[in-house]
Amino acid sequence: MQQASHLIVKDLVLIGGGHTHAIALLMFGMKSLPGLRLTLISNTCHTPYSGMLPGHVAGFYDFDQCHIDLRRLGQFAQAQLYLDGAIGLDLDNNKVICANRPPVAFDLLSIDIGSTPAQELVPGAAEYAIPAKPVAEFLSKWDQILAEFGQHPAKTLSIGIVGGGAGGVELAMTMQQRLLKVKSQNSQVKIHLFDRGAELMPDHNRWVRRRLQNILINRGIQLYLGETVCAVLPDKICCESGLVVDCNYIFWVTQASAPHWIKASGLQTDSKGFILVSDTLQSLSHPHIFAAGDIATMVNHPRPKAGVFAVRQGKPLFANLRAIALCQPLQFYQPQKLYLSLIGTGDGNAIASWGPFGWQSPLLWRWKDYIDRKFMDRFQNLPPMARVSSQQPIVTNNQKLTTNNQMHCAGCGSKVGSTTLERVLQRVQVEYPITARDDIILGLETPDDAAVVEVPVGQLMVHTVDYFRALINDPYTFGQIATNHCLSDIFAMGATPQSALAVVTVPYATEEKVEETLYQLLCGAMKVLSEAQTSLVGGHTTEGAELAFGLSCNGLVTRDRLLRKRGMEPGQVLVLTKALGTGILFAADMRQQAKGRWIDGAVSAMVLSNQEAAKVLMAHGATACTDVTGFGLLGHLLEMVRASKVGVELDLEAIPSLAGVREMLDIGIVSSLQPQNLRASRWISNLSQVCDRPNYPLLFDPQTAGGLLASIPADRAVDCQRSLVALGYKDTQAIGRVIPVLEGVKPIRAC
Ligand SMILES: Cc1cc2nc3c(=O)[nH]c(=O)nc-3n(C[C@H](O)[C@H](O)[C@H](O)COP(=O)(O)OP(=O)(O)OC[C@H]3O[C@@H](n4cnc5c(N)ncnc54)[C@H](O)[C@@H]3O)c2cc1C
C-alpha cells in the first residue's frame, strides 16, 4: 500500500462515497495535493450509480457495471478508506463519530451521504416497507424476491410501491419487466403504485407525465393517485380513503429525508434536516465543512434531489476543497436550472424530459446507455496512478510548510516525541484500557527503561516477533490485522498471550497528524490485545516513509500443553481454519485489479483472531499445530512434516480460498513472495501431475493473519470442524491426511 512520503499537514475527511465525492476523489487522484491526507468514511465499498440503478433492477446491468468500487477509487486517490458509518459530528473538536471505530479527526470535512425515503411519518412503514435506499439493502431484498419468485412457479406476487416520483415510476416499470422475465406460465405479477398527488412525477412536464402514466396503465400497473398511504401492515397498504391493498412486498420511494444526526450535530439545516450550503458548497454555519448531493440544500439555488445535480457538483467541490486547503479563494457554483432526465421504461425504451419538452424512442435508451456506461468507465478503467502533480505547499496555522524536501532525522532523531506518545496512550485507553495483570510487574502504567514481567511458577514463556508494512490504507484496521498476525504464533503453540511490545513506524507528518495516525493504529492493536487479555507493556515508535507495525509478544503455557509443529501422527486429519489468498488479493489490490468486496472479505478473515480456534483444536486432541503466514500453506506444512517425520496427502480441491482469488490466479496475479515460496514445490512427490491444477498456486501464497493448521485425530475431525464453523471460522476445511513417510519418497502428495 503506497503512502505519501510527504509531510502530512492537513486532514480532509469525506463522509459518504456518493456521486459528488466519487468525482472529487477521481480528480484528487489525477491532481493530488502533497500534505493533504484524504480519508473517505463510507458505509459501503461499492456505491451505486443512480443512473443505472433502474437498469440493474430490470436486469440490463450487473452489479459491477452500476457500482463504483470505492476501494479502488480510494487507492487511486491515495485516500484512506474507513469502512464505517458516520453517526455524529463533534464540531467542538472537529471529529467524526463513527459506529464501529474511534472518532476520526478532521481539519476539513465534506459530506455526501445522499438521502433516504422518509418512512417515519407513516406507521408501519419503517417496520414493513423496504426503502429504496440504502441501495445495498434494497438490492439484497430485491435479489431475494427474484430468487424466491423464480422458485415458486404458481405464485401470485403482489408488489406495492409508495411514491410516484421518478424513482417510484422507474421502479414500477423495471420491476415489472424483470419479474415478467422470471415468472413461469402459472404465476402472476401485480404492481401497485401509490401517490398522494393527482398526477405522477410532478417535477416533469405535462407530456412526460401523461406519457408515463399511459405506459403504466397499458402495462397493467395499478395506479392509486390521490391516495395518501396512512399505515403499512406486514402485507397491506392502507390509505386515508379507506382503500386497503394486499401486497407481498412494499417498497418505499417517497420524498427524501436526511438522517437525524446531521441536525443534531449543530450544522445549520433546512426544515427537513438537509445541510444548508452556500454557492461555494460550504456549510452556512461551519465554513470548514462542505456538503453536496442530496444531503445538501444550496440556499440560493434549491434543486430537486437528483443524481444529476450530485454529479455536477463533483468538479466545483474538488476545486473548492483544494482551494481551501491551499488558502486560496473559493469558486462560486450555480447549478443549471433545466436538466435533462432520461427515464428508462424497462423495455429498451426511454423517455427524455427537458423543461417543457419530452420525447420517447429506443434511440434515447441507447443514448442513455452510452452516457451511463461512459460515466462509469471513468471509474472502472482508472488511469495509471498519478504521481504527486502539485508542488504547492499547504498552509497550516498561518505557517508555510514545504511538504517535500523536508529533512527527516534518522537514529533516535526519528523517534516520535514522548508527549505525543503519552497523549496517544491516554486517548487510546479511553477506548481500550490496558489489560491489568498480576504477572506484569512493570508495564506502561509504571514506565521504566524496560518492562518487567513474571513467569508464573510451572509455566513456560513463549516469545515471538513480527513486523510489516501496512497492507491497507486504514490504520485502525491495520492495527487489528497486524496484532492478530503477531499473536497467532502464541496461539499456534497452545499458549496464552501475556504481554506485548509494539514497534511502530508512522508516516512523516506534523505532530498533530502523527498523533492521529498513532491513535487510530494503537486503538486497533489495543482492541485485539484487550480481547486477548494481553497487556501492552511498552514499545518504540519512529517516523518513516510509510506506516508499519509489529509486536513482540510473550505467551505462557504449561509444558504439557505446548503444541509444536512436530507431533503429527499417521492417520490424522489436517484441519485448516481460514481460507487462503490474502497475498494474491493484496497483490491484485496494488495493481487495482481486486474488487473492493474481495478485499472486504480478506479483511474480515484477517481481523478474526485465532484464539478461539486454538482452543477448539486443543479440545479436539490436536497433536501438532502452526499458523499459516508468510511461507504459505506448503512452506509451513513442510516444517510440520519434517519435524514430525511423516508424509501428507493433500486434497487440493478441499483447500478453501477467499472470494476473488480464483479470478486473480486466472489472470496470473500472485504475491511478489510467491516465487520464493514456490521452491517448496520440490517436496511434492507427484508435482508434474498437479502443478496445473487451479488450486496449486494457492499452496505458495503468503498469508497475513492466516489461519491455523493442525493435525487432529481422524475420529474428532468432523466434530472439530463443526465447532470451528460455529465459532465463526466459516471456511474451516479438512484439507488432507497424515501418512507414514517412506524412505526416499518426497513427503507431500497432492490429490
Ligand atoms: C430508485 C431510484 C432511482 C433513481 N434514479 C435516478 C436517476 O435515474 N437519475 C437521477 O439523477 N437520480 C435518480 N435517483 C436519485 C438519486 O439516487 C440521488 O439523487 C443520488 O443518488 C444522490 O447522490 P448523492 O451523491 O447525494 O448520494 P448517494 O448516491 O445516495 O450516495 C451516498 C453514499 O453515502 C453512503 N452513506 C450514507 N450514509 C452514510 C454514513 N452515515 N456514513 C458513511 N457513508 C454513508 C451511502 O452508502 C452511499 O454510498 C434515483 C433514486 C432512486 C431511489
Side-chain angles (χ1 to χ4, degrees):
M1 183 66 36
Q2 88 292 329
Q3 305 270 348
S5 56
H6 303 265
L7 196 72
I8 299 161
V9 296
K10 255 183 200 175
D11 270 311
L12 165 59
V13 174
L14 309 177
I15 310 179
H19 298 67
T20 322
H21 278 174
I23 293 186
L25 282 167
L26 193 63
M27 297 179 88
F28 270 116
M30 291 188 277
K31 200 173 177 194
S32 62
L33 199 50
L36 182 69
R37 176 165 58 186
L38 295 179
T39 303
L40 171 64
I41 302 173
S42 171
N43 57 13
T44 174
C45 78
H46 294 274
T47 198
Y49 169 45
S50 60
M52 289 169 104
L53 197 57
H56 176 61
V57 171
F60 298 142
Y61 306 114
D62 67 25
F63 182 90
D64 288 321
Q65 283 173 311
C66 64
H67 282 81
I68 297 170
D69 188 329
L70 293 175
R71 275 203 189 276
R72 268 194 210 172
L73 181 60
Q75 201 185 4
F76 174 71
Q78 300 182 31
Q80 303 187 112
L81 174 65
Y82 293 0
L83 213 54
D84 204 344
I87 54 166
L89 296 176
D90 171 358
L91 294 181
D92 292 335
N93 297 299
N94 280 346
K95 300 248 165 77
V96 181
I97 315 298
C98 294
N100 300 304
R101 61 179 302 133
V104 180
F106 63 85
D107 300 296
L108 298 168
L109 181 70
S110 179
I111 306 176
D112 175 24
I113 56 170
S115 57
T116 48
Q119 284 176 288
E120 283 173 6
L121 303 174
V122 178
E127 290 89 336
Y128 306 121
I130 304 156
K133 286 185 168 195
V135 172
E137 281 145 49
F138 160 71
L139 288 182
S140 128
K141 195 71 201 174
W142 173 237
D143 287 344
Q144 197 185 317
I145 293 169
L146 280 177
E148 275 172 21
F149 189 52
Q151 281 162 14
H152 293 96
K155 184 169 173 152
T156 295
L157 183 65
S158 175
I159 286 188
I161 297 173
V162 181
V169 168
E170 270 191 291
L171 275 192
M173 293 186 292
T174 51
M175 281 183 165
Q176 187 198 41
Q177 293 299 304
R178 182 74 181 274
L179 289 167
L180 290 176
K181 280 183 209 151
V182 173
K183 100 176 190 57
S184 69
Q185 241 179 352
N186 299 328
S187 53
Q188 265 196 325
V189 176
K190 288 185 188 165
I191 307 274
H192 311 273
L193 180 59
F194 298 79
D195 198 283
R196 65 158 62 99
E199 276 193 292
L200 298 166
M201 300 180 52
D203 292 338
H204 292 263
N205 67 61
R206 198 177 144 89
W207 184 88
V208 169
R209 292 200 303 264
R210 286 285 153 85
R211 188 79 206 105
L212 281 163
Q213 191 159 322
N214 287 339
I215 292 174
L216 294 172
I217 292 168
N218 290 339
R219 289 189 187 169
I221 292 172
Q222 289 290 318
L223 291 185
Y224 304 92
L225 295 176
E227 292 286 356
T228 300
V229 174
C230 61
V232 176
L233 301 176
D235 54 356
K236 282 180 184 45
I237 291 180
C238 309
C239 299
E240 278 176 1
S241 65
L243 173 78
V244 176
V245 178
D246 288 340
C247 296
N248 303 106
Y249 298 100
I250 297 155
F251 287 89
W252 207 254
V253 203
T254 58
Q255 77 272 24
S257 72
H260 295 302
W261 62 265
I262 291 285
K263 193 176 169 66
S265 70
L267 283 174
Q268 195 175 340
T269 61
D270 67 11
S271 58
K272 290 181 176 163
F274 294 106
I275 304 167
L276 283 174
V277 296
S278 65
D279 293 3
T280 52
L281 301 176
Q282 287 169 286
S283 150
L284 292 192
S285 54
H286 296 78
H288 64 305
I289 298 181
F290 291 69
D294 279 8
I295 196 62
T297 295
M298 291 191 77
V299 68
N300 296 325
H301 313 286
R303 295 287 183 271
K305 305 288 180 199
V308 60
F309 293 109
V311 168
R312 293 285 169 99
Q313 286 173 338
K315 206 169 160 188
L317 180 73
F318 165 73
N320 282 347
L321 289 174
R322 215 179 132 80
I324 199 166
L326 291 165
C327 295
Q328 290 173 352
L330 272 59
Q331 298 175 9
F332 295 102
Y333 168 69
Q334 184 176 345
Q336 70 214 87
K337 277 205 178 105
L338 285 184
Y339 65 101
L340 176 70
S341 279
L342 291 168
I343 303 149
T345 51
D347 60 348
N349 267 283
I351 288 179
S353 170
W354 189 77
F357 304 107
W359 185 31
Q360 182 184 2
S361 160
L363 282 179
L364 285 173
W365 170 255
R366 276 197 235 154
W367 187 36
K368 174 174 165 53
D369 177 64
Y370 170 77
I371 295 171
D372 288 338
R373 284 180 193 268
K374 200 166 154 219
F375 176 82
M376 285 302 288
D377 186 65
R378 296 165 69 191
F379 299 98
Q380 284 155 351
N381 295 303
L382 293 165
M385 301 267 285
R387 291 288 138 239
V388 175
S389 56
S390 162
Q391 298 306 316
Q392 280 172 286
I394 291 185
V395 178
T396 176
N397 302 333
N398 300 325
Q399 179 193 17
K400 282 206 166 188
L401 292 170
T402 44
T403 57
N404 49 2
N405 302 325
Q406 192 81 24
M407 294 264 291
H408 301 296
C409 291
C412 270
S414 66
K415 273 181 76 158
V416 170
S418 61
T419 45
T420 308
L421 252 175
E422 269 168 37
R423 266 200 313 268
V424 170
L425 286 169
Q426 272 168 13
R427 284 176 62 196
V428 171
Q429 287 195 70
V430 173
E431 309 280 336
Y432 304 104
I434 289 178
T435 304
R437 295 179 57 116
D438 292 343
D439 52 5
I440 306 297
I441 310 302
L442 294 178
L444 274 175
E445 254 127 54
T446 44
D448 216 304
D449 287 333
V452 179
V453 299
E454 190 173 37
V455 182
V457 177
Q459 304 239 39
L460 305 175
M461 177 156 277
V462 181
H463 297 282
T464 176
V465 66
D466 250 309
Y467 173 83
F468 48 83
R469 296 162 57 209
L471 76 172
I472 190 154
N473 244 338
D474 170 354
Y476 176 65
T477 306
F478 172 55
Q480 292 178 58
I481 292 171
T483 307
N484 267 332
H485 184 98
C486 296
L487 288 176
S488 247
D489 285 329
I490 304 269
F491 299 134
M493 301 290 293
T496 307
Q498 178 213 39
S499 56
L501 294 164
V503 187
V504 191
T505 304
V506 277
Y508 297 119
T510 58
E511 193 178 330
E512 194 190 333
K513 303 300 160 205
V514 164
E515 180 175 329
E516 278 319 303
T517 312
L518 252 183
Y519 170 67
Q520 293 284 335
L521 179 85
L522 288 184
C523 275
M526 287 291 289
K527 177 176 188 287
V528 176
L529 290 175
S530 308
E531 283 162 7
Q533 292 293 296
T534 308
S535 208
L536 184 71
V537 291
H540 182 85
T541 309
T542 60
E543 287 188 77
E546 57 182 2
L547 185 66
F549 181 63
L551 289 165
S552 159
C553 303
N554 293 325
L556 299 170
V557 65
T558 53
R559 194 178 291 271
D560 58 320
R561 290 184 65 84
L562 189 64
L563 206 49
R564 308 266 318 262
K565 286 181 179 160
R566 72 171 191 222
M568 298 167 94
E569 291 161 19
Q572 288 186 326
V573 169
L574 273 180
V575 172
L576 176 65
T577 63
K578 289 190 192 179
L580 301 180
T582 57
I584 293 161
L585 288 179
F586 281 94
D589 188 46
M590 281 191 336
R591 294 167 178 78
Q592 294 180 17
Q593 296 287 325
K595 289 182 179 161
R597 57 184 177 278
W598 298 345
I599 299 298
D600 288 354
V603 169
S604 301
M606 292 188 294
V607 296
L608 183 63
S609 162
N610 281 330
Q611 184 158 26
E612 294 308 312
K615 287 183 194 160
V616 172
L617 294 169
M618 294 278 281
H620 287 82
T623 57
C625 184
T626 193
D627 58 327
V628 181
T629 52
F631 299 150
L633 176 69
L634 200 75
H636 292 288
L637 178 61
L638 261 176
E639 291 173 341
M640 293 177 83
V641 158
R642 282 193 190 133
S644 306
K645 298 191 174 42
V646 290
V648 153
E649 210 169 64
L650 262 187
D651 179 358
L652 277 185
E653 293 315 309
I655 295 174
S657 61
L658 291 162
V661 166
R662 286 285 175 84
E663 287 91 329
M664 293 299 92
L665 282 176
D666 284 348
I667 57 169
I669 293 183
V670 290
S671 158
S672 55
L673 190 58
Q674 179 103 353
Q676 288 179 55
N677 286 351
L678 204 59
R679 290 180 197 143
S681 64
R682 66 177 185 274
W683 299 101
I684 301 177
S685 61
N686 57 340
L687 183 61
S688 60
Q689 290 162 18
V690 294
C691 62
D692 291 335
R693 299 266 289 277
N695 264 0
Y696 173 75
L698 262 185
L699 297 177
F700 311 99
D701 186 49
Q703 303 305 293
T704 302
L708 296 178
L709 176 66
S711 194
I712 304 283
D715 58 345
R716 313 283 303 273
V718 173
D719 203 26
C720 175
Q721 254 178 277
R722 246 186 241 134
S723 305
L724 285 163
V725 171
L727 278 171
Y729 302 92
K730 62 181 176 53
D731 294 320
T732 300
Q733 282 293 342
I735 58 161
R737 59 190 192 97
V738 184
I739 53 174
V741 70
L742 300 173
E743 189 70 33
V745 178
K746 294 174 178 175
I748 312 275
R749 186 181 160 74
C751 52

